[in-house]
Amino acid sequence: PPPTPPAPTTSFGMTQAGFARLLSRHADHFKAEKKLAALKLMIINLVSPSRGGLYRVKSEMSNNVTLAVSLLAIASADSNSEVSGPAGDMIKAHMDWSHSSLSREGGVGDPLRTAHILLSLCLGANPTNPKAERMAITPRPTSTIVQFVTNHVILPHPSLFEVTSNMSNGLLTLIVTCGKRGIASSDPKYQVAASSLLNALATKIGKIPSSPLVTVLVDQITKLVTGVLATASSSGIDSSSSSSSYLMPVRDHCYGVLSTFSRSAQLLKGSIFEKELVNGGCTTAALLFGCSANEEEVLRPRANAALDALLHAYQRYSGVATKTLAESLLPLLWNAAIRKQKGARMSAARWAAELIRPISPLESSHLCCFLSGDDDITTSSAACRGIGTEDMGWVEKVLKEEGGEVKGDSPIPDFDEFVRIMFGSNNKRPIFVDFNATSKSHTLRLALACFLCDGGSEAELVKLSSTLASTIKNCGVSSVPGAVSVLLDHSCQALATVLKKSEVVRKLYNSGEGGLTWRDIVEFATASSNALARKNLGRAAGLLVGGDEIQAEKFVESCMWGLGVAKEKMNFDNLHNIGNAHGGAMVCGYLLKELFRQQVVQGGVALFGVASEVLKLLAQGVAQSDQQIGNGCAFALEVAVCGGLRKEMIESLKEGGALVYVFECLSKTLKKYGHGEHADSTRVIGVVKCTGSVLW
């Protein structure tokens, strides 16, 4: 026999596997692939809707379009680009024509049957022979087909499932099964396509009449999407991982499913979701709060939107909400409130204000007070609405009227319980001393409003007054404009109001056990850099000396000392500090008010002499060119005389010439500031009131 020729030593630039296949007996494999691709191209050209030959018979048009579109969708997912490219172009041209056509003929034919054929094929079934052996379908073509069903069959047909039939029920089951298989797949594109399919179904399934099948499917979908989000909720997602960018659309669609289910009362009926809401469970809420805190920055708005939708679902079942629900949710809300992610804090504020408040006003107020000073204005605004300290809120109305009943359905926390939980030391959660200045301001205003509405026990009043004293000390007299300055304003207002309403607190401060002595208050009033604080501290000083429980000797001594200190501050000829002069005027105005309304026997002559001098100073200050001094003295003079003057006081003022001097100063002020370029309505109104009160 002839010798065997030697094997070639070169592969001609081919891989070893390719070269071995070239030498094998199956070298015609390439020809087979080309023949198969050519056959597929012939088929799609034959059934292409652009030919029009298959659609001439009206009675069979829908069925023909269904089959043709299904074939093109399958061909567009082919692994051979020579087939998938033309098929994709054909189906795109057909869908564009069907959307722009006035007759609306074409499209996908019968959408139910088209979706049923394509999804059956994705699951390995033979659409024409269900009993045939299942086929093995790779993930890549499956994801393309599933995406086609979502974009061109489910979403464009809003009434797809409105009519219940065996076909529609079967399609529902197919969609959920396909979604399960896709999300469980290891192929990211298949996972995205499957989650998108479930999200599209969620938007349509709400229009389906209630049935046991729908309830079962809703439960299955809920468990599926919550399982996907569990990882993001518990430990967060590593954005640096390679799979993170692929899985983000999956979680995005899962948030959409939960949002849709939460907004649909019909879908929740009878489902595990409804049972959780009715029984006061918070499994889904815990999941979404975890996602809001741990999710990637891009998807946090989606998690927060799902939380908002879930909040409305809870509110629909507020009739069965109990303390148990509040106790279950509060740890979640507090955990979200201390997070650095502002979306989590905002959701915590909204849930506390809108859901917990009607159930437990005390716990809701505690959380909202803490968040009312948040750096994010949306969060702080939601918290302020929850406690009523926003503009025109019930707290502001009560403080403006200094009492009265709360109108509307605003739940009010009990004053004693609120003081114990906010100013006590046995609470594991943040309390007043842990708050920032803004949160402390809102807390004090709410506490004061609660006190004005329903009063309080002696022990809790003492605790509140001690807190007010320490807060005023900590703020100091030289607080700069900002949150601390506002806190000082509210603290001084609360102190003055509590002193007016409570004899217990007045006795506490007069005995020196309130944290601030009367002389401390006077010195703070004349030295503070805050105008509103000076006004309220002056009012507090007057209330302390004017109570019925104070002795006459102490009254005279206190008035003499207080007027003397304030008088030194109002040296208008050599004015160094306008704020000190304004504070002195406030102290003088409120002390004179108490002096003028009481009958003083022992030491009255000397006291009346000092009062005459102070009254002259106030009248002199009204005519000062500085607006703060002029308006402040006008207000102080109004406070002093509008309460009425006793007969012996009027005679003393006449003898010393103080009354004449006051009228002369008031007359000059009216001429200067009543009209013209120096017109000052605030000062003129105060002057007119003073003049009328003295003349009367």
Side-chain angles (χ1 to χ4, degrees):
T4 304
T9 57
T10 176
S11 60
F12 305 103
M14 302 173 63
T15 63
Q16 292 183 358
F19 185 62
R21 187 172 56 188
L22 179 63
L23 298 178
S24 68
R25 66 180 65 182
H26 303 290
D28 58 344
H29 174 73
F30 298 104
K31 296 181 180 179
E33 283 190 355
K34 290 184 178 180
K35 289 180 179 180
L36 180 61
L39 176 61
K40 291 179 179 179
L41 284 174
M42 292 175 60
I43 293 175
I44 62 176
N45 282 317
L46 176 65
V47 303
S48 174
S50 59
R51 292 173 61 87
L54 300 177
Y55 313 104
R56 298 304 176 91
V57 182
K58 292 289 184 180
S59 60
E60 300 179 0
M61 179 179 292
S62 178
N63 185 51
N64 291 337
V65 172
T66 298
L67 295 175
V69 169
S70 300
L71 282 171
L72 288 176
I74 296 169
S76 66
D78 196 273
S79 58
N80 191 335
S81 60
E82 294 181 358
V83 177
S84 60
D89 294 339
M90 289 180 187
I91 200 167
K92 182 178 183 303
H94 170 66
M95 299 307 297
D96 291 342
W97 171 83
S98 64
H99 291 158
S100 61
S101 175
L102 296 177
S103 63
R104 290 293 180 184
E105 293 180 352
V108 294
D110 182 0
L112 281 175
R113 188 158 182 256
T114 302
H116 200 281
I117 291 174
L118 293 176
L119 293 181
S120 298
L121 184 64
C122 290
L123 296 177
N126 189 336
T128 59
N129 185 11
K131 296 182 179 180
E133 183 180 356
R134 288 187 173 271
M135 301 174 287
I137 308 297
T138 57
R140 183 188 178 280
T142 303
S143 62
T144 305
I145 295 173
V146 169
Q147 201 63 49
F148 175 83
V149 172
T150 302
N151 296 335
H152 297 290
V153 181
I154 305 296
L155 291 176
H157 296 86
S159 59
L160 185 62
F161 298 104
E162 287 186 358
V163 179
T164 304
S165 63
N166 293 333
M167 178 70 78
S168 62
N169 290 339
L171 180 58
L172 288 174
T173 306
L174 274 176
I175 291 175
V176 176
T177 305
C178 192
K180 287 181 180 180
R181 181 172 296 184
I183 289 180
S185 171
S186 59
D187 182 55
K189 293 185 178 179
Y190 195 6
Q191 291 179 340
V192 173
S195 60
S196 176
L197 179 65
L198 292 177
N199 191 20
L201 175 63
T203 61
K204 308 297 180 184
I205 201 172
K207 299 179 181 180
I208 305 175
S210 299
S211 66
L213 175 63
V214 173
T215 303
V216 170
L217 294 179
V218 169
D219 289 348
Q220 292 178 359
I221 297 173
T222 303
K223 291 179 180 179
L224 190 62
V225 298
T226 52
V228 172
L229 297 175
T231 304
S233 175
S234 58
S235 58
I237 299 296
D238 184 8
S239 58
S240 62
S241 63
S242 58
S243 62
S244 175
S245 59
Y246 291 101
L247 295 178
M248 283 177 58
V250 178
R251 299 198 302 277
D252 187 6
H253 294 142
C254 290
Y255 289 128
V257 171
L258 287 183
S259 299
T260 304
F261 284 177
S262 299
R263 293 190 182 99
S264 176
Q266 182 175 348
L267 285 180
L268 294 181
K269 189 174 182 181
S271 65
I272 56 174
F273 214 170
E274 183 186 48
K275 295 174 183 177
E276 177 184 332
L277 298 176
V278 172
N279 297 330
C282 57
T283 305
T284 308
L287 174 77
L288 291 178
F289 269 110
C291 292
S292 178
N294 299 320
E295 182 60 272
E296 291 188 62
E297 188 69 29
V298 178
L299 287 182
R300 280 178 196 156
R302 294 287 287 162
N304 295 328
L307 269 175
D308 289 342
L310 184 62
L311 171 61
H312 294 306
Y314 272 104
Q315 288 176 322
R316 285 200 297 270
Y317 291 88
S318 59
V320 295
T322 60
K323 288 279 186 181
T324 305
L325 175 61
E327 292 173 358
S328 301
L329 288 174
L330 279 171
L332 297 175
L333 301 185
W334 274 107
N335 185 45
I338 60 178
R339 293 281 185 172
K340 64 179 181 179
Q341 293 84 4
K342 65 179 182 180
R345 302 196 304 272
M346 181 188 67
S347 297
R350 290 197 58 190
W351 278 63
E354 300 178 21
L355 181 63
I356 304 299
R357 185 182 179 189
I359 307 172
S360 178
L362 178 64
E363 297 291 349
S364 171
S365 300
H366 186 190
L367 181 59
C368 287
C369 284
F370 173 69
L371 291 173
S372 61
D374 195 87
D375 295 334
D376 179 53
I377 189 171
T378 307
T379 302
S380 60
S381 299
C384 289
R385 288 194 299 271
I387 56 180
T389 55
E390 80 281 15
D391 293 339
M392 301 304 293
W394 72 269
V395 170
E396 300 303 319
K397 293 178 182 178
V398 169
L399 296 182
K400 185 177 181 180
E401 300 174 3
E402 287 198 352
E405 297 181 357
V406 180
K407 298 179 180 179
D409 56 349
S410 300
I412 307 172
D414 180 74
F415 172 75
D416 292 346
E417 293 181 354
F418 184 74
V419 170
R420 280 193 291 269
I421 196 175
M422 294 299 299
F423 306 111
S425 57
N426 297 325
N427 201 326
K428 296 181 181 180
R429 291 167 180 163
I431 57 175
F432 182 80
V433 294
D434 305 315
F435 293 174
N436 60 23
T438 304
S439 296
K440 287 182 177 180
S441 299
H442 291 289
T443 302
L444 291 179
R445 294 185 77 73
L446 178 58
L448 182 59
C450 294
F451 166 69
L452 292 174
C453 289
D454 57 9
S457 64
E458 180 176 338
E460 309 312 325
L461 277 174
V462 170
K463 189 178 295 184
L464 174 62
S465 60
S466 300
T467 302
L468 293 174
S470 61
T471 303
I472 293 172
K473 286 182 178 179
N474 293 333
C475 291
V477 297
S478 58
S479 59
V480 296
V484 177
S485 180
V486 174
L487 175 59
L488 181 61
D489 292 345
H490 294 166
S491 301
C492 295
Q493 179 191 11
L495 178 62
T497 305
V498 172
L499 288 173
K500 177 182 178 182
K501 298 289 184 179
S502 174
E503 181 180 351
V504 173
V505 178
R506 290 197 299 270
K507 288 181 178 180
L508 182 71
Y509 274 80
N510 282 323
S511 65
E513 299 177 358
L516 284 174
T517 64
W518 181 80
R519 297 197 175 194
D520 291 337
I521 293 176
V522 173
E523 290 176 352
F524 265 99
T526 55
S528 177
S529 60
N530 188 303
L532 290 175
R534 294 193 294 265
K535 175 183 173 182
N536 284 301
L537 287 173
R539 180 186 176 199
L543 290 168
L544 282 176
V545 300
D548 297 332
E549 62 277 0
I550 193 170
Q551 298 178 356
E553 295 179 0
K554 188 175 181 180
F555 173 78
V556 174
E557 178 187 352
S558 299
C559 286
M560 289 289 288
W561 184 86
L563 291 174
V565 171
K567 179 181 163 185
E568 293 177 359
K569 304 293 183 181
M570 293 191 298
N571 186 2
F572 300 120
D573 296 330
N574 187 18
L575 190 61
H576 297 289
N577 192 312
I578 295 177
N580 291 350
H582 180 268
M586 294 297 106
V587 173
C588 289
Y590 283 103
L591 289 181
L592 289 177
K593 175 184 178 181
E594 301 300 330
L595 173 61
F596 291 163
R597 77 178 184 86
Q598 293 196 18
Q599 184 176 4
V600 181
V601 179
Q602 186 177 1
V605 177
L607 183 57
F608 287 166
V610 175
S612 298
E613 296 178 5
V614 171
L615 203 62
K616 289 180 181 180
L617 278 176
L618 288 177
Q620 182 184 349
V622 173
Q624 292 291 314
S625 58
D626 184 84
Q627 188 176 23
Q628 187 178 28
I629 293 295
N631 290 341
C633 289
F635 176 79
L637 196 60
E638 176 189 348
V639 169
V641 301
C642 283
L645 299 176
R646 300 182 66 84
K647 183 177 181 180
E648 60 270 20
M649 188 66 222
I650 295 178
E651 296 297 330
S652 175
L653 293 175
K654 286 181 179 179
E655 292 176 1
L659 206 56
V660 176
Y661 183 80
V662 169
F663 277 120
E664 289 177 354
C665 291
L666 295 180
S667 177
K668 292 179 182 179
T669 304
L670 284 175
K671 290 179 181 179
K672 182 177 181 180
Y673 297 100
H675 57 83
E677 61 181 1
H678 299 292
D680 188 341
S681 59
T682 303
R683 194 180 309 197
V684 169
I685 291 173
V687 169
V688 171
K689 288 182 178 180
C690 296
T691 306
S693 298
V694 175
L695 291 175
W696 179 258

